[in-house]
Amino acid sequence: MTILQRAAARVENALYLERRFDAPPAVVFQLWTTPERLARWWGPRDFTTHSIEMDFRPGGTWSASIRSPYGEDTPMLAVYREIVEDQRIAFTLIPDDGRKANVVATFEAVKATTRLTIRQSPLAGPAEVEAYTEGWQEYLDRLESYLLRRHWDNR
């Protein structure tokens, strides 16, 4: 289902990741908008998302807890900064260590597909950019798998 995958650090302390999905932006965007949908794909490979609370509006918050295969829980917290239906979601991640990072996900129509772009900054440097890039790629792999399952389940 992925048509194109590209990742590049455009600047030393920022992540840039691009992936195309064989689904229109409205469908891909929808999978980010409710706890039930997000829980199906959120988190790295082999993790489960066992709780998500979401107030999907600018100024609203979402929190999640993802569980590793070893039973370790990682809490996540974010505040939505901007939401443009089917086009853009901007939020600030607030990790336990207090270092905030801004994330922007854009959903662009390319023919009958979606070009999803993830930008995240600031990050501490190239090693952190690489680590977060690998993590986001796993998230997007899971999103792709969920889209594919959903497509075949709806036939």
Side-chain angles (χ1 to χ4, degrees):
M1 183 173 280
T2 299
I3 297 169
L4 168 73
Q5 179 175 315
R6 181 174 55 179
R10 301 247 169 149
V11 295
E12 190 171 298
N13 67 342
L15 170 147
Y16 176 84
L17 181 66
E18 182 180 295
R19 175 114 34 126
R20 279 186 47 194
F21 295 95
D22 191 13
V27 171
V28 179
F29 184 90
Q30 182 185 61
L31 300 181
W32 291 68
T33 63
T34 64
E36 299 80 22
R37 292 182 187 115
L38 198 61
R40 299 290 191 124
W41 64 269
W42 190 258
R45 178 180 42 249
D46 300 327
F47 279 64
T48 57
T49 302
H50 63 89
S51 97
I52 294 184
E53 294 182 19
M54 182 184 291
D55 180 9
F56 190 69
R57 63 178 176 81
T61 61
W62 71 262
S63 60
S65 184
I66 58 175
R67 184 166 290 149
S68 78
Y70 308 105
E72 299 164 342
D73 290 344
T74 301
M76 305 178 92
L77 176 65
V79 176
Y80 292 107
R81 295 189 328 271
E82 179 186 13
I83 297 169
V84 179
E85 188 77 20
D86 299 338
Q87 295 177 26
R88 179 180 167 95
I89 301 171
F91 55 94
T92 300
L93 284 172
I94 307 169
D96 285 346
D97 65 9
R99 286 186 329 137
K100 296 178 180 179
N102 294 315
V103 177
V104 178
T106 58
F107 306 79
E108 180 186 355
V110 179
K111 298 185 182 178
T113 70
T114 299
R115 177 184 299 136
L116 174 62
T117 304
I118 306 286
R119 291 180 176 85
Q120 181 175 343
S121 67
L123 297 171
E128 192 170 47
V129 170
E130 184 178 334
Y132 273 90
T133 298
E134 288 175 17
W136 273 111
Q137 287 174 336
E138 289 185 13
Y139 281 57
L140 297 181
D141 289 346
R142 292 185 66 193
L143 173 58
E144 178 181 25
S145 293
Y146 180 58
L147 270 169
L148 187 58
R149 281 192 312 273
R150 199 173 153 195
H151 170 79
W152 288 107
D153 289 348
N154 290 333
R155 290 188 135 226

